[in-house]
Structures are given as C-alpha cells and as structure tokens.
C-alpha cells in the first residue's frame, strides 16, 4: 500500500509527493553539512504534439519507455521520479556537478535512442535537460531546486 502511494501509476517511478518529502529531508541535511546535491530536470520535448498527433495511448507508451530506459542509467540510491506531466527529476546521490553533467548527457542521449512504434511509424523523442546543484546547502527545498534546473533546460 505504501509503495503504491509513493509511485506514479503510469511510469512506476516515484511520484512528486514522495520526491518532495524525501528530497526535502536530504536537502535539509545537506544544508546542515554544507554538502552538494545535484538535481537533473528533464522535460520531454513536444509532448503535447505527440499526444495530439498519435493519441494519448502513444503518449503513455512514450512515458513508460522513458522511465524504463532511464531507470537503467541511474543507481538504486539515486532518486528518479515524475515531477509533473512530462517532467522528470533525478537526484543522483553522492556525485559531483561534473558527474551530474555526464549523467544528464547520458539521460538526453538515452531518450533520443527511444523509438515508440505507432502504425508502422516510429515516434522520435527528445528531451530538454537542466542541471543544478543546491549551492552547497543554500537550497533546502526540492521545488526551488527543481525550478532552478527547469529554468536552465537546454
């Protein structure tokens, strides 16, 4: 029951409620210890267009594929979840900003490699990815950290 409450039904990743409660605790501890926490924001490009052109079931398939493929990139200790709609967030634990950049690039490349078939055609998928850190403990709220990463999406 607890697992269902913490998971996004479609992607089987953590949901926003769980992410915020868990990460806010991590961010508070990092703030106390002057530690760095990396946040990777990911926004699926033209997702509304995919839904409009191919239908919501194809959009759902895209979201499922993204979560499955991207789950292979990150460790179990990293936290990945669906933040809202077509936005994902990843908080890799214990890596540097440079390591986060590599993971963000890998995430972007992995999403580009996903192809969802619909009526004999393949739907290509790309994503915009943003990366920030918590400024060595100065940011102690996941919404604020995600917002900063969302602003720098490219």
């Amino acid at each position: 029951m607890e697992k269902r409450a913490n998971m996004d039904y479609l992607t089987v990743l953590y949901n926003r409620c769980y992410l915020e409660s868990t990460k806010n605790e991590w961010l508070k501890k990092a703030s106390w210890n002057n530690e760095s926490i990396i946040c990777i924001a990911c926004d699926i490009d033209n997702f509304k267009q995919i839904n409009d052109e191919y239908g919501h079931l194809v959009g759902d398939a895209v979201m499922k594929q993204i979560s499955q493929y991207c789950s292979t990139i990150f460790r179990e200790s990293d936290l990945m979840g669906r933040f809202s709609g077509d936005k994902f967030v990843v908080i890799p634990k214990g890596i540097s900003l440079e390591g986060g950049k590599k993971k963000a690039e890998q995430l972007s490349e992995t999403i580009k490699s996903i192809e969802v078939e619909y009526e004999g055609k393949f739907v290509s998928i790309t994503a915009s990815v943003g990366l920030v850190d918590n400024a060595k403990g100065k940011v102690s709220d996941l919404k604020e950290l995600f917002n900063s990463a969302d602003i720098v999406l490219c």
Side-chain angles (χ1 to χ4, degrees):
M1 214 79 159
E2 184 178 329
K3 186 176 181 178
R4 282 183 95 185
N6 294 327
M7 306 303 277
D8 175 68
Y9 175 78
L10 180 63
T11 61
V12 195
L13 296 174
Y14 288 111
N15 62 28
R16 184 173 176 166
C17 181
Y18 181 79
L19 290 168
E20 286 183 2
S21 63
T22 302
K23 284 304 162 199
N24 285 342
E25 281 301 310
W26 283 13
L27 288 165
K28 284 178 191 170
K29 287 178 184 174
S31 180
W32 297 331
N33 299 325
N34 200 28
E35 294 174 337
S36 181
I37 291 184
I38 304 300
C39 177
I40 302 170
C42 176
D43 186 354
I44 309 310
D45 297 332
N46 306 311
F47 189 68
K48 182 181 181 327
Q49 181 181 345
I50 292 170
N51 279 333
D52 290 347
E53 188 172 335
Y54 301 103
H56 288 274
L57 293 179
V58 173
D60 287 353
V62 166
M63 297 298 280
K64 288 177 186 178
Q65 287 287 329
I66 288 170
S67 66
Q68 289 171 356
Y69 276 65
C70 294
S71 292
T72 65
I73 298 171
F74 298 97
R75 304 164 296 181
E76 271 190 48
S77 61
D78 299 333
L79 205 56
M80 181 173 180
R82 186 174 177 192
F83 198 76
S84 66
D86 63 341
K87 294 182 187 289
F88 295 89
V89 64
V90 182
I91 311 287
K93 201 164 187 183
I95 68 170
S96 66
L97 193 55
E98 192 58 40
K101 286 178 186 176
K102 289 177 184 173
K103 285 292 186 183
E105 289 169 4
Q106 190 178 9
L107 176 64
S108 181
E109 289 302 314
T110 297
I111 291 171
K112 282 183 194 173
S113 74
I114 297 171
E115 293 180 327
V116 174
E117 186 177 357
Y118 176 73
E119 295 182 353
K121 293 190 251 176
F122 288 97
V123 179
S124 62
I125 306 160
T126 59
S128 299
V129 178
L131 172 75
V132 295
D133 69 6
N134 66 332
K136 297 205 183 229
K138 291 182 180 143
V139 179
S140 60
D141 178 75
L142 181 62
K143 288 180 200 172
E144 183 182 346
L145 189 61
F146 179 83
N147 186 55
S148 296
D150 194 40
I151 288 170
V152 297
L153 288 173
C154 57

